[in-house]
Amino acid sequence: MVYTIFRDTRYEIDLDALGHNIARVQAIVADQAGRSDRPKVAAVLKSDAYGFGAIPTARLMVEMGIDFLAVACLPEALELRKAFPQQPILIMGYTPDPLLSLSLEQDIHQTIFHVRQAEILSRYAVEAAKQANVHVKIDTGMNRLGLDPDEQGVKQVMTMAALPGINLEGMFTHLALESRQSDYRQFERFMDFSRALEKQGLEIPIKHVCDSIGMLRYPEFRLDMVRPGAIFYGAPPMRTPYDDLLDIRVPFALKTRISRLRTLAPGEGVGYDFSWKAPETGAVLATLPIGYSDGYKRALSNKGYVLIRGHRAPLAGLICMDQCTVDVTTVPGVQAGDDVLLLGQDSMVLHENGQKADSGPAHEIPVLEMAGWLGTNRNEVLTAIGRRVPRVYRKKGTITEVKDYLIPG
Ligand SMILES: *Cc1c(COP(=O)(O)O)cnc(C)c1O
C-alpha cells in the first residue's frame, strides 16, 4: 500500500517500540511477589494517546490484551467506542449531568463522585434495562476531584451502591506525588476508606491508585488495576530507582525536511525582529516547514536545536506559526530536502525508501531535554503536537498507516 503524506513535517510512531513498551508494562505489573493474580492494566489514552493518535495506539493495546482503555472525557470515550465496540472504556474525569445518558448508552464505564450522578445514571439504567458500570473517585488529598473519605463519604458510597442499575465496579484515587510520605498518607486514607466500606458489607472489585510513576515507585499500591499513560509513550518518569531496569523505548520522532538553504552575510538578521544575526563569519541557515502551531513551541526560539545528518543545528531566530530557521553552518554536506529530527528518537533510522540513513551518532532529542528548554514537563511537550502534523505509523521500518486529521480516510 502506498501512503501519501501531504507534508514534509510528520510525527512518526514506531509501533514495534510502542508494542515493546506495552509488553514491558505488562511484565512489570505481572512481576509481583506474593501475588497469583496480576493487576489489570487501564492504558491511559487521553489527549489523543498523548499525541500518538488514539485509534492506532488503542488498536495495538487491544491486540496485546490491555484490559481497559482510560480517557479523560466523553468525546475521547466516544471516539474509542466507535472503533472498539466491545472494549471496556473508562472516563476518569468529570462528565456533566446532561451527558451521563450518552455515556451509559455507549456502555462507557463512568467515574462519579456524587450521589446525584449515581441517581441520574440509575434512572437511565433502569429505563434502558442495563447496568451502569461506575468507578467512584475518592479525594485523598489532591483536592481536585472525588468525594471525601470520611463518615459522610461512606454513607454516600453506600447510597450509590444500593441504587438499582448501578454496578459499583471500581473505586480510585490519584496521587499528588509530592513526597513518599504524602503518597503513603493518601494511600492509607484510601485503604482506610475501603476497609470502612467493607465493614458495611461493600466489596468493590477494582480498586486503583497508580499512574506511571506510582506504579513504578510503589509496587505495593498497584491493587487491582494500574492506570499508566506516559510510560507507554516512551516518556517514563526519571525519578525512580527503577530507571535502568525499565527498558522503555522511545517510539516517537517529530521530523521534517529542509525547505530552503540560505547563506547569510555577517550581521544579517533572520525572521521577525531579526532576533538572531549572523556572526562575523557569516552563516548558513536552513528553513524548516514547522512552527508553533504544529506544537513546536515559540518559547524554543534561540534555545533548542534540531538534528540534521546526526549534527546539532541550533534554532536561529523566532519560531513562526508555520516555519522556523536553524543554523546549519557546521553541518557537513547539508542540502535542501535533508531529513530533520526535532524531537524523539529516529529509532528506525530508515528513510522513506527503506534504506538506512546516515544519521551519524546522534539520533535522539529526549523529550525531557525539550521539556527543560521550555520549563515544562514531558507530557505537555508530547500533547502539544498539533493536528496539522500527520501521524505516520511504522512496523519494521515500513509504513503501515497514516493518520492525517485534516484529510481523513
Ligand atoms: C493522566 C492520568 C493518569 C496517567 O498518568 P501518567 O503520568 O501519564 O502515567 C492516570 N490517572 C489519572 C486519573 C490521570 O488523569
Side-chain angles (χ1 to χ4, degrees), residues 178-204:
E178 185 253 346
S179 66
R180 219 180 155 79
Q181 196 188 15
S182 76
D183 291 340
Y184 262 93
R185 205 178 308 126
Q186 282 190 265
F187 183 70
E188 287 309 330
R189 249 179 229 161
F190 184 75
M191 295 312 285
D192 285 345
F193 189 64
S194 173
R195 280 186 286 269
L197 291 173
E198 277 167 32
K199 251 196 208 147
Q200 303 287 314
L202 182 64
E203 180 72 65
I204 298 175

Side-chain angles (χ1 to χ4, degrees), residues 43 185 210 252 268 380 384:
R185 205 178 308 126
C210 294
F252 56 89
E268 249 191 293
E380 190 182 6

Side-chain angles (χ1 to χ4, degrees), residues 44 46 50 92 137 144 172 174 211-212 227-230 379:
V44 177
K46 61 190 177 189
Y50 293 48
M92 301 181 295
K137 175 129 200 211
R144 209 171 58 171
F172 72 109
H174 197 60
D211 62 1
S212 297
R227 306 185 305 268
N379 286 351

